[in-house]
Amino acid sequence: MLEARMLTAGDLRARILRATDVSDEHDGGDHVLNPGWAPGAQTLPAGRDAAVLVPVVDRPAGASVLLTTRSTRLRHHSGQIAFPGGRIDPTDASPEAAALREAAEEVGLPAAQVEILGRLEAYRSSTGYRIVPVLSVVTPPIALRLNPDEVDDAFEVPLGFLMDAANHRLESRVWQGAERHFYTMPFGERYIWGVTAGILRSLYERYYA
């Protein structure tokens, strides 16, 4: 297992309380590392608003982040590592409500065990989604029930590992005829990259850099 400094959920709460509110004026996202791709709100297709839960599990030995491996049955982004989450439905009262609903549907995470701490800046993906990351603390013990249509696996990574810039790699590949840059955070056999790594990098830059 890779070495990681111990960070606690209580420390994250304190950092969030000391910080200023997140502004809705400027979104983060893939365009930050790829200036040639510049999303505009006017080009965002209907139904592309989404929310993900960033679940920090309050473990006595150090906080960890709950992540999932998307089902190989899915048409889009199958097999990739992701946060629980999805599109914001018209019936969802807020991004927080959507993130909690999706977490319950995907991995059976009870809302009663989730403490909402706030939001990170919205993340715009190159596929046209505007994703609101909802920060939360999960109180164990948790007994997950995975939905096999959506999730193949759920696992935890130490928060201390993810919030260490030494574990963040900037990589690139050619996509749609152009070189695209993105963060990765390999953890053992797990390859965390793309939007998930981008959101984790945003968490690091806002509260741990």
Side-chain angles (χ1 to χ4, degrees):
M1 183 62 68
L2 300 174
E3 292 288 333
R5 59 176 175 153
M6 193 189 85
L7 294 176
T8 67
D11 175 65
L12 175 60
R13 287 192 192 93
R15 290 170 186 262
I16 291 173
L17 286 173
R18 290 196 300 267
T20 57
D21 291 338
V22 175
S23 171
D24 289 330
E25 185 178 351
H26 300 291
D27 293 343
D30 291 346
H31 61 285
V32 174
L33 295 177
N34 302 276
W37 180 78
Q42 70 277 8
T43 64
L44 187 68
R48 292 280 180 158
D49 290 311
V52 296
L53 192 71
V54 182
V56 177
V57 185
D58 191 5
R59 300 287 185 192
S64 60
V65 178
L66 176 66
L67 295 168
T68 71
T69 304
R70 288 171 57 85
S71 172
T72 53
R73 303 178 186 181
L74 295 172
R75 292 179 57 190
H76 302 292
H77 308 293
S78 62
Q80 291 187 10
I81 291 173
F83 294 108
R87 292 188 182 186
I88 300 175
D89 289 345
T91 54
D92 292 320
S94 64
E96 288 78 7
L100 289 171
R101 174 183 55 76
E102 288 282 350
E105 293 175 359
E106 291 182 8
V107 298
L109 185 63
Q113 290 181 251
V114 181
E115 173 193 357
I116 300 298
L117 300 181
R119 302 178 187 176
L120 288 174
E121 63 183 5
Y123 191 101
R124 287 188 182 264
S125 74
S126 56
T127 52
Y129 281 94
R130 183 178 188 270
I131 304 162
V132 178
V134 178
L135 300 176
S136 67
V137 168
V138 178
T139 302
I142 50 177
L144 300 180
R145 301 182 308 279
L146 306 187
N147 179 345
D149 292 329
E150 299 193 53
V151 173
D152 280 347
D153 187 23
F155 60 96
E156 296 177 29
V157 179
L159 181 65
F161 175 87
L162 296 170
M163 294 299 104
D164 185 344
N167 299 320
H168 302 177
R169 300 179 186 175
L170 189 58
E171 300 184 17
S172 67
R173 67 177 58 169
V174 175
W175 183 66
Q176 294 185 347
E179 187 178 23
R180 176 190 167 193
H181 297 85
F182 52 88
Y183 280 106
T184 70
M185 299 171 190
F187 181 74
E189 297 180 351
R190 313 281 189 177
Y191 186 66
I192 305 168
W193 74 290
V195 171
T196 303
I199 290 173
L200 288 167
R201 177 71 184 190
S202 295
L203 178 62
Y204 162 77
E205 290 177 349
R206 180 158 182 79
Y207 296 115
Y208 291 94

